[in-house]
């Protein structure tokens, strides 16, 4: 465990040495803030409109979870699809390009320790990004009345989604020494997993069910609604473990070449 934490700490420090980390953090918070305050402004407009109409039924349907938190979480997930490949592209590709990969492979560390160390290093950075977005629900809790359970479930879904993205990004980074290729291949894989359920309604019953099960978005959406189902948790756990297993096999194969 000490070796895993040492590699994670080294990778996390290297993230903040590079200007990429600050660009990613700034971009994520800037876009997140822009979405949040625009959604909040739209909610206020609708609230004033319904108040002027004196429509109690419409007022009951208007709530912060459906009109601010849920769309905000979906927008943040799209931003993560773009930014996580930028974070993970350095994990193995940079080691190969700089020539330190051979040193890492000939060290007494096991491949599993190396993979898990790099995974936790990238995960810690993404977790820090998501932690900073906690200011948005905090504002709503202080000045509004969102449903706390639904809110926490949604952010749990965003964390699981981001963790799955990191695992996939680590896998694509292990395939190449070119960071751009690692980032683009990760972006394509994440986009595919994100939109794969779009033709589910017209693909037939069996194929539609398969496409919906494979889709990251379908499981994420359930958590955003406040539904914490063990099937969704098992799905995210399976994606993360499978991606890390394939990364371990990919790195292991290179070690003996």
């Amino acid at each position: 465990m000490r070796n895993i934490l040492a590699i994670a700490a080294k990778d996390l420090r290297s993230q903040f040495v590079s200007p990429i980390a600050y660009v990613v953090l700034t971009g994520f918070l800037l876009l997140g803030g822009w979405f949040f305050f625009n959604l909040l402004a739209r909610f206020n407009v609708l609230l004033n409109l319904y108040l002027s109409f004196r429509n109690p039924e419409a007022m009951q349907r208007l709530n912060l979870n459906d009109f601010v938190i849920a769309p905000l979480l979906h927008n943040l997930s799209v931003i993560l699809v773009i930014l996580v490949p930028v974070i993970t592209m350095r994990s193995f590709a940079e080691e190969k390009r700089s020539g330190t990969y051979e040193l890492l492979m000939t060290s007494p560390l096991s491949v599993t320790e190396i993979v898990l160390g790099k995974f936790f290093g990238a995960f810690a950075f993404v977790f820090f990004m998501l932690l900073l977005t906690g200011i948005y629900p905090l504002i709503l809790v202080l000045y509004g009345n969102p449903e706390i359970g639904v809110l926490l479930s949604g952010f749990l879904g965003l964390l699981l989604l981001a963790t799955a993205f990191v695992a996939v990004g680590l896998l694509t980074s292990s395939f190449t020494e070119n960071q751009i290729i690692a980032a683009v291949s990760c972006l394509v894989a994440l986009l595919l997993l994100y939109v794969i359920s779009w033709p589910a309604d017209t693909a037939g019953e069996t194929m539609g069910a398969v496409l919906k099960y494979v889709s990251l978005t379908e499981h994420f959406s359930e958590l955003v609604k406040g539904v914490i189902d063990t099937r969704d948790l098992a799905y995210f756990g399976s994606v993360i473990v499978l991606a890390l297993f394939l990364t371990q096999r990919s790195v292991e194969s290179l070690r003996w070449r």
Side-chain angles (χ1 to χ4, degrees):
M1 191 64 191
R2 183 182 300 174
N3 292 334
I4 293 172
L5 293 177
I7 295 174
K10 170 184 164 294
D11 271 34
L12 190 57
R13 280 197 302 273
S14 69
Q15 291 278 6
F16 284 100
V17 170
S18 165
I20 293 175
Y22 300 98
V23 173
V24 168
L25 274 173
T26 305
F28 184 68
L29 293 177
L30 186 67
L31 289 170
W34 190 86
F35 284 125
F36 174 71
F37 288 107
N38 274 282
L39 288 166
L40 202 57
R42 176 173 167 268
F43 178 83
N44 284 329
V45 169
L46 290 174
L47 183 64
N48 291 326
L49 192 65
Y50 291 160
L51 282 173
S52 65
F53 288 160
R54 299 180 185 278
N55 187 339
E57 292 185 2
M59 288 288 294
Q60 287 180 351
R61 291 197 298 269
L62 193 64
N63 65 78
L64 286 169
N65 289 89
D66 290 340
F67 285 82
V68 179
I69 293 295
L72 174 66
L73 291 173
H74 282 288
N75 290 337
L76 289 177
S77 71
V78 174
I79 300 172
L80 287 174
V81 168
I82 300 167
L83 293 185
V84 168
V86 180
I87 298 167
T88 57
M89 68 180 184
R90 293 165 51 88
S91 297
F92 287 103
E94 174 65 14
E95 299 273 9
K96 293 176 183 175
R97 189 197 62 79
S98 62
T100 56
Y101 191 72
E102 287 76 13
L103 291 175
L104 193 64
M105 290 298 105
T106 52
S107 69
L109 300 172
S110 70
V111 173
T112 302
E113 288 176 328
I114 295 171
V115 171
L116 288 179
K118 289 192 168 295
F119 169 71
F120 283 118
F123 169 77
F125 183 81
V126 173
F127 181 76
F128 179 65
M129 286 171 56
L130 297 183
L131 199 62
L132 294 176
T133 63
I135 187 68
Y136 308 137
L138 186 61
I139 291 173
L140 296 182
V141 171
L142 289 176
Y143 299 102
N145 60 343
E147 294 179 48
I148 303 297
V150 178
L151 194 152
L152 292 176
S153 172
F155 273 88
L156 172 65
L158 189 65
L159 179 63
L160 289 172
L161 188 73
T163 309
F165 287 176
V166 168
V168 173
L170 214 63
L171 174 62
T172 58
S173 181
S174 71
F175 291 149
T176 177
E177 63 180 31
N178 188 310
Q179 294 183 34
I180 303 301
I181 293 175
V184 172
S185 54
C186 179
L187 177 64
V188 172
L190 295 185
L191 279 175
L192 184 62
L193 288 172
Y194 204 86
V195 303
I196 198 168
S197 65
W198 285 10
D201 292 336
T202 56
E205 186 176 350
T206 304
M207 182 56 70
V210 170
L211 292 176
K212 284 184 177 180
Y213 183 77
V214 173
S215 170
L216 286 166
T217 320
E218 294 292 327
H219 299 276
F220 171 60
S221 297
E222 293 300 311
L223 287 163
V224 170
K225 293 174 188 171
V227 180
I228 300 179
D229 194 318
T230 51
R231 287 173 296 182
D232 298 320
L233 301 181
Y235 168 80
F236 281 112
S238 301
V239 171
I240 294 165
V241 170
L242 178 63
L244 290 179
F245 172 74
L246 293 176
T247 305
Q248 197 268 352
R249 302 308 300 166
S250 171
V251 176
E252 183 77 39
S253 68
L254 290 174
R255 194 172 200 176
W256 300 109
R257 287 181 188 175

